[in-house]
Amino acid sequence: MQKQNPLLRIRGWGKGEHGRLIGAVISALIAVVLGMLPYFAAAQVIIKILAGEKILSLYLPWLGIGLVGYVARTLLYNMALSMSHKATFSILKNIRKKILEKLPKLPLGTVMDMSSGKMKQIIVDQVDGMETTLAHLFPELTANIAGPLFIVVCLFVLDARCALLSIVTLPVGMAFMMSVMGSYAKNYEGAVKTTQEMNGTIVEYIGGIEVIKAFNQGKSSYAKFADRVKANASYYYNWMKKSQFGVSMGYSIVPASLVTILPAGWLWYRNGSLPVETFIMVIILSLGIAGPLIAAMNFVDTLATVGTTVASVDELLSAEEQHHGDKEVRIKGKDIELSHVSFGYHEDKNILRDVSLSIPAGRMTALVGPSGSGKSTIAKLIAGFWDVKDGMVSMGGVDEKKIPLEQLYDHVAFVSQDNYLFDESVRENIRMGRLSATDKEVEEAAKAAGCDAFIRSLEKGYETNVGGGGAHLSGGERQRIAIARAMLKDAPIVILDEATAYIDPENEAVIQKAIAQLVRGKGSPQGREDALGHKTVIVIAHRLSTIKDADKIVVVKDGKIEAAGKHEELRKTCPLYESMWQAHIGAKDGDVA
């Protein structure tokens, strides 16, 4: 698909502000015309001085014209900038609103896969960076191009020979400038990429500082951090270094119009073919060509900057959305069916290949298999992180694509090994599962998840702040709080993706008991049976001892279902499961108490 011009794309985002932008351009154009008056006035004053005119009253009208032109230009130009700034801030606001409206419509997995450094740079830095360009581009670029054009027209009216000489330096200087500007878009795109990599590394370094220090990895981790910062600085240094000659030559040659005008004009004046008044007017007017054009050339790199920024924003805004029904549907059961599902995160590579799987309602189903086999992908498809294109995922006999996302997310509680905790109290982090829950219900959910005791041992108990991302707690403590949050949500379908990965053996038994309660529908803080019967629990685990009592164990290998059944049955019929079990038992036997 052909990319749309970035300015046209911005124009589309800025509907409603076109009037202000057009007004800004018109004001700038009028300001340019009035801004020429001081040049004409100055020429007339110099002509009179050279003629020996000493009567002050003959100078005053021209001085007044020059002053009026300057004041009028200043007022109109400021008015143009005011209108363009108001329009710009409205457009940037609209862009950010569109991004924030878009994010909830994107597949949850897509959002989770975006680094926070990249997201922050697009929404904050790059959109902010468009302000200077948009606010100044339309009025200033218009004025800086129209002004020199108006001067050149005036020069041709005065003397065509001088007009041609006044623009001789322009193509030469422009050639040097374009040798640099021609590759600006590509170079700026590289700059954005290296900055995003640096931002991502900074966020990763700061977020993982606890682990880095705990495992004494400060030297290697800081080296990676420092390498990214140095690579960023080196990129900009090398870019500026290779651009220096062309830019310097351009800035030197473009304004040098007098180099050609003065000698030739003097000769023409001496032989009588150029009146002195015209010669003086040409000299003064020619001085007004270079400055605006150089300012206009500065917008070449600005336009490239905007092009890259618009591409980043547009990539986000045009990303494929999840298309689900908008009317709540009745989900009669809690059974889950995957029918001939093929799925990959990239179009050219499928992780799941023709997977058909039935997950019974009110039972615990475990997904096991080697790393990268597709277990988590199956779980995330069920949870609605992505939509499948090939095949179908149904819940209670209803195609998930017909279920509104909000209803689907309410129907599923998902706990992974890396659940995020907010920089709030323990109580409020658990309450995220159901914002209407009472304090008593929060505490009952914590007891069911086996974390009430450790919470009460904290300095402020349930009111203890967990820190950003739960930094003040251990991995196991964060995990139990996440499980308590899922229990409080009281969703009919619960997915635990390596949810006991950070749990010690003693507390793992508590969690296993809590999972058993979930299956029986007794994991809710009210201690009641689920209204629709037992909950459907899907567990992914590497430690097979934690799922050997599951109602159904599904073995996944290379994106396909290898086998399914109960523990003892699979040990006899599935060599892969038996080898995994023996490896697990051997690892347990080798554990040091």
Side-chain angles (χ1 to χ4, degrees), residues 340-344 349-356 372-374 378 390 556-561:
H340 301 290
V341 171
S342 295
F343 178 80
K349 184 179 181 182
N350 276 341
I351 293 177
L352 301 181
R353 295 185 286 277
D354 196 29
V355 170
S356 293
S373 59
I378 292 174
D390 300 319
V556 185
K557 180 184 178 183
D558 296 331
K560 295 183 177 181
I561 305 300

Side-chain angles (χ1 to χ4, degrees), residues 390-404:
D390 300 319
M392 183 176 72
V393 179
S394 62
M395 187 176 292
V398 181
D399 185 349
E400 282 196 1
K401 291 182 181 178
K402 296 181 180 179
I403 305 173

Side-chain angles (χ1 to χ4, degrees), residues 338 341 343 350-359 365-379 381-382 538-542 544 547 552-565 570 574-577 579-580:
L338 280 75
V341 171
F343 178 80
N350 276 341
I351 293 177
L352 301 181
R353 295 185 286 277
D354 196 29
V355 170
S356 293
L357 172 65
S358 295
I359 297 176
T365 299
L367 302 178
V368 302
S371 296
S373 59
K375 307 183 299 297
S376 291
T377 301
I378 292 174
L381 288 177
I382 294 171
I538 302 169
V539 179
I540 298 174
H542 279 103
L544 299 188
I547 52 89
K552 182 176 183 179
I553 300 173
V554 179
V555 182
V556 185
K557 180 184 178 183
D558 296 331
K560 295 183 177 181
I561 305 300
E562 181 83 358
L570 290 174
C574 181
L576 173 59
Y577 184 81
S579 66
M580 291 171 62

Side-chain angles (χ1 to χ4, degrees), residues 507-526:
N507 284 297
E508 186 177 13
V510 177
I511 296 302
Q512 289 302 112
K513 183 179 178 182
I515 293 173
Q517 288 181 324
L518 279 175
V519 176
R520 295 194 299 271
K522 295 181 180 179
S524 66
Q526 294 88 345

Side-chain angles (χ1 to χ4, degrees), residues 312-330:
S312 297
V313 173
D314 205 30
E315 180 184 3
L316 197 57
L317 292 180
S318 61
E320 187 175 357
E321 299 179 5
Q322 286 184 287
H323 297 288
H324 281 237
D326 53 3
K327 292 184 179 179
E328 189 168 315
V329 298
R330 184 183 177 190

Side-chain angles (χ1 to χ4, degrees), residues 231-243:
N232 183 262
S234 177
Y235 185 93
Y236 278 97
Y237 174 79
N238 291 329
W239 180 16
M240 296 302 110
K241 184 178 179 180
K242 68 182 181 182
S243 303

